[in-house]
Amino acid sequence: QVQLVESGGGLVQAGGSLRLSCAASGLTFNTYAMGWFRQAPGKEREFVAAISWSGGSRYAESVRGRLTISRDNAKGTVYLQMNGLRPEDTAVYYCAAGPSRTLVPGTIEGTYDSWGQGTQVTVSS
C-alpha cells in the first residue's frame, strides 16, 4: 500500500521561503513520477510541479523560477523548495505519485494514483 506523508508547511511572510517534503513508502520509488498540486480555498486543485523518475521536471507558469522540485531516490523523498512566496501561493499542498517510466512527468491529476493528506502553506502579506 502506497503511503505519502507531507511535511514542512507553515506560515510565512511574503517573500519568504519554505521547503516541503514528501516521504513515500510501499512503492518502488525510482519507477514513479512525483508531483505537487495545491488547492486554495474556494478553488479547484491545480498542478504545481512534477518530476520524473530520472529527474526531468515541469512547472506551472505561476511558480516557474520561484519553486524547485527535486527528489532523493535513495531516501524515497520528493521536495518542493519554495522561494519568493506570495499570498496567492496560500493553499493546501498535496504530494502525488504515479507509476511512469517516461522522461517527462505528467501535469494532470489522472497521471497520479496515490495522494498524500496535504500540508497547509499560508503566506501573509
Side-chain angles (χ1 to χ4, degrees), residues 6-122:
E6 301 102 333
S7 61
L11 173 65
V12 64
Q13 289 188 333
S17 298
L18 285 173
R19 188 175 84 152
L20 305 184
S21 299
C22 172
S25 59
L27 73 167
T28 304
F29 188 73
N30 63 4
T31 66
Y32 275 67
M34 302 297 296
W36 287 98
F37 291 75
R38 67 186 181 187
Q39 187 168 22
K43 295 186 177 181
E44 294 192 353
R45 191 158 58 185
E46 64 176 2
F47 169 74
V48 175
I51 188 166
S52 71
W53 66 275
S54 60
S57 60
R58 299 179 74 179
Y59 296 91
E61 283 301 318
S62 60
V63 306
R64 190 182 302 276
R66 300 187 297 118
L67 276 57
T68 303
I69 190 170
S70 61
R71 64 189 295 160
D72 186 331
N73 286 341
K75 294 183 178 179
T77 301
V78 62
Y79 305 97
L80 186 68
Q81 179 65 43
M82 309 169 71
N83 298 328
L85 283 164
R86 304 168 179 170
E88 54 264 40
D89 294 317
T90 295
V92 177
Y93 283 71
Y94 297 91
C95 174
S100 173
R101 295 294 286 176
T102 62
L103 297 181
V104 178
T107 62
I108 61 172
E109 291 192 28
T111 303
Y112 302 89
D113 57 12
S114 299
W115 294 81
Q117 293 298 306
T119 185
Q120 176 70 47
V121 171
T122 303

